[in-house]
Amino acid sequence: MIRAVLCDIEGTTTSLSFVHDVLFPLSREKMDSFIRENWTAPELQPILDDLKKKIPIENPPPPDVVALLQAWIDADKKDRALKEIQGRIWKEAFESGKIRAPVYPDVPEKWAEWKRQGLSIYIFSSGSIEAQQLLFRYSEAGDLTHFIDGYFDTTTGPKKVAASYEKIANTIEMNPADILFLSDMPAELDAARQAGMQTIQLMRDSVHLVARTFHEI
């Protein structure tokens, strides 16, 4: 019996193109000005100190940190410091109205239906929790955060590792078998199933017809 639905974002609730063609380029473009303006900001020092350790020179200047972060954006690196900084850049863009996040039209419809049925809804994404909240608060369909019971990011663990899904189940105090995980990524689905969750793969952006056997052709 399903008691909760755990959703991925990219390719599941939101198109891959929005993340890779809008959010990533925006953070890359704004990275230099953001780092320079916040170089001495107290709340950012733990993140910047961590980044400086990854650069093989003593006391690297802002341009070196910017270059590192931009290289990570280009490589789609799942680094916590990068995700935190991207989230701060996106926050300004969302709150100013410069961007709104598209969601597939069936998402708010099904979320409303699942809530009426008494199901809980959670998000698990490699983006920071703040970035997830911004995306659903400032979506083209309006504020969808009232549907969501909780958020998980890579501070919980990697998305392709079963232990991450076990930790999520423990956190929300549910049996993994009572949780349905939705994603477009087979490796993530494999990890969730290994942890005992039920899984369904989304094929949102596929331009090909899908068949599991010749009998479906």
Side-chain angles (χ1 to χ4, degrees):
M1 180 178 177
I2 300 298
R3 297 175 55 203
V5 181
L6 178 65
C7 297
D8 171 47
I9 292 180
E10 295 178 38
T12 301
T13 66
T14 304
S15 68
L16 287 166
S17 62
F18 174 69
V19 177
H20 290 272
D21 298 340
V22 177
L23 292 183
F24 283 6
L26 175 65
S27 64
R28 197 185 198 288
E29 175 191 347
K30 298 292 186 181
M31 190 61 71
D32 183 71
S33 60
F34 178 87
I35 292 298
R36 291 180 185 278
E37 291 168 7
N38 292 276
W39 189 247
T40 59
E43 68 275 10
L44 216 62
Q45 292 313 300
I47 296 174
L48 292 174
D49 289 343
D50 182 56
L51 288 168
K52 291 174 186 177
K53 294 175 184 176
K54 295 178 170 65
I55 299 173
I57 62 173
E58 187 176 354
N59 297 319
D64 287 8
V65 174
V66 171
L68 175 67
L69 290 168
Q70 289 177 333
W72 284 355
I73 292 172
D74 295 340
D76 193 14
K77 185 176 177 64
K78 311 300 184 185
D79 181 87
R80 181 179 178 182
L82 171 63
K83 297 302 180 182
E84 288 292 331
I85 291 174
Q86 284 180 314
R88 291 170 184 264
I89 293 172
W90 295 333
K91 183 175 188 290
E92 180 180 341
F94 276 118
E95 291 182 344
S96 68
K98 182 177 180 180
I99 57 173
R100 286 289 180 269
V103 293
Y104 295 110
D106 53 283
V107 171
E109 296 172 6
K110 290 301 293 185
W111 279 2
E113 178 182 329
W114 290 338
K115 297 304 287 187
R116 288 194 297 269
Q117 294 172 352
L119 301 183
S120 299
I121 297 172
Y122 297 91
I123 303 296
F124 185 25
S125 174
S126 58
S128 68
I129 288 175
E130 181 181 29
Q132 297 173 36
Q133 292 170 333
L134 288 167
L135 188 150
F136 292 114
R137 182 175 296 117
Y138 297 101
S139 86
E140 291 179 351
D143 187 350
L144 303 179
T145 57
H146 62 281
F147 290 120
I148 302 169
D149 295 279
Y151 303 83
F152 298 92
D153 61 14
T154 52
T155 59
T156 296
K159 295 188 70 184
K160 298 178 182 179
V161 174
S164 303
Y165 299 88
E166 294 168 357
K167 187 173 180 180
I168 288 173
N170 289 334
T171 300
I172 65 177
E173 298 181 338
M174 287 191 189
N175 188 320
D178 295 335
I179 303 170
L180 172 64
F181 177 55
L182 306 179
S183 175
D184 64 321
M185 298 296 292
E188 296 175 3
L189 295 162
D190 290 343
R193 181 168 288 275
Q194 184 180 345
M197 291 186 183
Q198 301 185 50
T199 57
I200 293 178
Q201 183 177 9
L202 275 295
M203 304 293 288
R204 296 284 197 180
D205 298 319
S206 175
V207 296
H208 306 287
L209 297 176
V210 177
R212 289 171 295 180
T213 69
F214 276 11
H215 297 297
E216 295 183 4
I217 298 172

